[in-house]
Amino acid sequence: MRTLLIIGFVWPEPNSSAAGGRMMQLISLFQQQGFSIVFSSPAQDSDFMIDLAQYSVLKRSINLNCSSFDVFIKELNPTIVLFDRFMMEEQFGWRVAENCPAAMRILDTEDLHCLRLARQNAFKEKREFQISDLLVEEVAKREVASILRCDLSLMISEFEMELLQNIFKIDSRLLYYLPLLLHTDQISDLEKSPSFEDRKDFLFIGNFLHVPNFNAVQYLKETIWPLLKKQFPEAILNIYGAYPSQKVLQLNNVKEGFLIKGRADDAMQVVKNSRVVLAPLRFGAGIKGKLLEAMQCGTPSVTTSIGAESMHANLSWNGFIEDNPVVFAEKAIVLYQDEKLWLQAQKNGIKIMEHRYLKPLFEGDFKERIGELLLNLEQHRLNNFMGELLQHHTLRSTKYMSKWIEEKNR
């Protein structure tokens, strides 16, 4: 039986973040192709990690900078190794290449980290983000090198694929578009969904370990919510998210209707019971799981151009996309109060999901791409000379740094 080894940055927590849900989708796709799955990670176990055994996935803890991994991977001899984010490829990619050179190496980027960080730095410096910022972003050098060293990188954003090809001149054959995926039965049946009248309150939801989410909540607190509350005094905003810090919790203000609720026991139910999702993201990358989840729940949203980036193509958004905070607040109130507009926004969300995220749209082509690469891996690598060059040099520098750390730790 063919084996897929996943090297995870963390253990999957699908109820805490879109990244955890994405990983479980990848596991399902490879299991459908007949792969047995081993999920490994150097991360500590968490209280909210999924029980992988329930999904017929073998769990294995691994150590950073330790030759025990070499023994482990040689014995496993996987057909494919999937790195969860470029940091895992940096740590373990050279060991995979050295011990299992015939194994296909796939990188799941999650989002383009260098894009998110370059935008974040521009925001901190109070200036407009420029595409040229990517060329001086230190993480870009590491991330692009990782993409080049791998046989295939999975991308969830078409915008980011274009950046890699146009700015960094990455060969399109090294990239594969695979967004967050939905089963047909995951798209809300509007007739069974809570009605406009049965829903109440605004909602923000997002993992607070993710800096763009905390920044969005600060933006709501300091700028948008006072504007909205002035025009709509009875408005309530419920803020949910995993791993809220003390900085997040202290933003709670009952008098202002700004309520920090922490982790949701059932995120989908919380979204379904809300009338409008607010997501004023000022920097970030990838596509936003919270906004796709809102569509699933039949809940319209108001977000920014960063929030909606690469999510809807030329289809109408399920609500409004606004970057001006005054207009953002106004549109949020209109969407909350106008049932006809709200129902149309809900339908727009269904259309986006049906045309952009249904699993049947992607699973067949993905299987073909993996099969084709496995059959032609040697030629594929010959065509990727820059990747082979980086593999040659970085394998050595990373290898000896890791061995030095291993010796130092003894």
Side-chain angles (χ1 to χ4, degrees):
M1 192 181 206
R2 299 182 301 176
T3 301
L4 168 71
L5 170 65
I6 300 172
I7 303 179
F9 182 66
V10 293
W11 301 105
E13 293 186 23
N15 292 326
S16 299
S17 70
R22 159 73 163 189
M23 182 53 68
M24 297 311 295
Q25 291 169 10
L26 291 176
I27 286 172
S28 173
L29 282 174
F30 279 103
Q31 284 178 330
Q32 285 177 6
Q33 295 183 39
F35 283 87
S36 62
I37 315 278
V38 178
F39 194 105
S40 62
S41 178
Q44 296 292 317
D45 286 5
S46 78
D47 294 336
F48 302 101
M49 60 189 280
I50 203 160
D51 182 1
L52 289 165
Q54 290 188 0
Y55 295 85
S56 303
V57 175
L58 202 59
K59 176 180 179 288
R60 287 288 181 268
S61 292
I62 52 177
N63 296 315
L64 295 170
N65 304 307
C66 183
S67 54
S68 60
F69 180 84
D70 302 342
V71 177
F72 162 67
I73 196 167
K74 273 183 181 176
E75 290 178 353
L76 186 65
N77 192 26
T79 312
I80 300 176
V81 177
L82 187 146
F83 302 101
D84 171 26
R85 286 163 266 202
F86 79 91
M87 298 82 82
M88 291 297 96
E89 190 279 334
E90 281 185 329
Q91 288 285 344
F92 295 98
W94 69 269
R95 293 185 184 274
V96 173
E98 193 170 81
N99 292 288
C100 294
M104 187 199 300
R105 298 183 296 271
I106 299 178
L107 173 64
D108 184 38
T109 58
E110 293 290 352
D111 62 23
L112 208 53
H113 291 62
C114 62
L115 175 62
R116 172 161 44 86
L117 291 171
R119 282 172 167 167
Q120 186 174 335
N121 290 335
F123 174 80
K124 283 182 180 177
E125 294 165 13
K126 298 181 179 179
R127 59 178 176 81
E128 286 291 320
F129 165 74
Q130 305 291 331
I131 293 295
S132 58
D133 292 343
L134 290 169
L135 299 174
V136 295
E137 173 55 54
E138 195 63 30
V139 168
K141 300 176 180 68
R142 295 169 54 197
E143 191 166 22
V144 171
S146 183
I147 288 169
L148 284 167
R149 286 192 298 265
C150 287
D151 301 308
L152 193 68
S153 289
L154 306 181
M155 310 293 300
I156 61 173
S157 163
E158 294 152 315
F159 175 73
E160 292 173 13
M161 286 184 70
E162 290 169 10
L163 277 184
L164 289 172
Q165 291 173 75
N166 297 331
I167 304 301
F168 297 109
K169 311 305 179 187
I170 303 290
D171 189 330
S172 63
R173 290 173 293 186
L174 298 177
L175 307 174
Y176 188 85
Y177 175 62
L178 190 69
L180 300 176
L181 302 176
L182 300 174
H183 293 283
T184 306
D185 60 5
Q186 286 180 291
I187 295 180
S188 178
D189 182 344
L190 295 186
E191 291 184 1
K192 296 179 182 177
S193 180
S195 67
F196 176 84
E197 294 85 0
D198 290 337
R199 297 170 182 249
K200 65 176 184 175
D201 301 339
F202 292 96
L203 172 74
F204 176 90
I205 189 164
N207 188 319
F208 287 110
L209 294 179
H210 194 53
V211 178
N213 286 335
F214 176 59
N215 181 268
V217 170
Q218 285 182 306
Y219 188 31
L220 280 164
K221 174 75 171 180
E222 296 165 5
T223 305
I224 295 174
W225 193 245
L227 291 167
L228 192 153
K229 194 74 171 170
K230 187 177 180 180
Q231 297 179 61
F232 187 17
E234 59 268 38
I236 300 291
L237 173 60
N238 297 307
I239 297 170
Y240 286 88
Y243 302 107
S245 65
Q246 191 56 42
K247 285 194 299 183
V248 175
L249 296 173
Q250 69 186 15
L251 296 175
N252 184 71
N253 190 313
V254 175
K255 188 177 178 182
E256 294 174 1
F258 197 91
L259 309 178
I260 307 294
K261 299 292 186 76
R263 180 185 289 271
D265 293 331
D266 186 338
M268 294 293 281
Q269 198 57 49
V270 164
V271 181
K272 279 183 180 178
N273 290 335
S274 303
R275 191 176 289 180
V276 174
V277 165
L278 303 181
L281 298 161
R282 291 188 283 189
F283 53 84
I287 57 177
K288 313 305 179 293
K290 64 175 68 62
L291 294 173
L292 186 58
E293 192 173 71
M295 294 180 205
Q296 281 182 262
C297 296
T299 309
S301 63
V302 185
T303 189
T304 56
S305 53
I306 292 284
E309 183 177 271
S310 268
M311 288 201 66
H312 63 116
N314 59 348
L315 299 171
S316 297
W317 188 249
N318 73 318
F320 294 104
I321 301 168
E322 293 294 344
D323 292 321
N324 182 296
V326 175
V327 182
F328 189 104
E330 289 172 352
K331 295 294 188 183
I333 294 169
V334 170
L335 190 57
Y336 192 95
Q337 296 179 334
D338 188 330
E339 183 175 3
K340 185 177 179 182
L341 190 65
W342 188 90
L343 289 170
Q344 183 57 54
Q346 193 180 59
K347 290 175 184 176
N348 292 346
I350 299 294
K351 191 172 182 180
I352 291 169
M353 287 187 290
E354 289 176 342
H355 286 80
R356 302 272 299 164
Y357 298 103
L358 277 184
K359 188 178 178 184
L361 297 174
F362 300 94
E363 57 188 343
D365 188 74
F366 181 63
K367 181 179 180 180
E368 283 183 24
R369 185 77 178 108
I370 297 301
E372 174 196 334
L373 270 180
L374 286 171
L375 284 173
N376 302 289
L377 193 56
E378 187 176 347
Q379 184 59 50
H380 179 74
R381 287 177 175 172
L382 287 174
N383 293 338
N384 179 22
F385 180 76
M386 288 303 295
E388 292 296 289
L389 184 71
L390 284 167
Q391 193 69 253
H392 174 79
H393 287 290
T394 29
L395 185 146
R396 281 157 179 73
S397 60
T398 311
K399 171 181 177 178
Y400 290 112
M401 173 60 80
S402 182
K403 284 185 173 293
W404 178 80
I405 294 171
E406 186 176 0
E407 287 299 317
K408 186 171 175 285
N409 290 339
R410 282 180 177 170

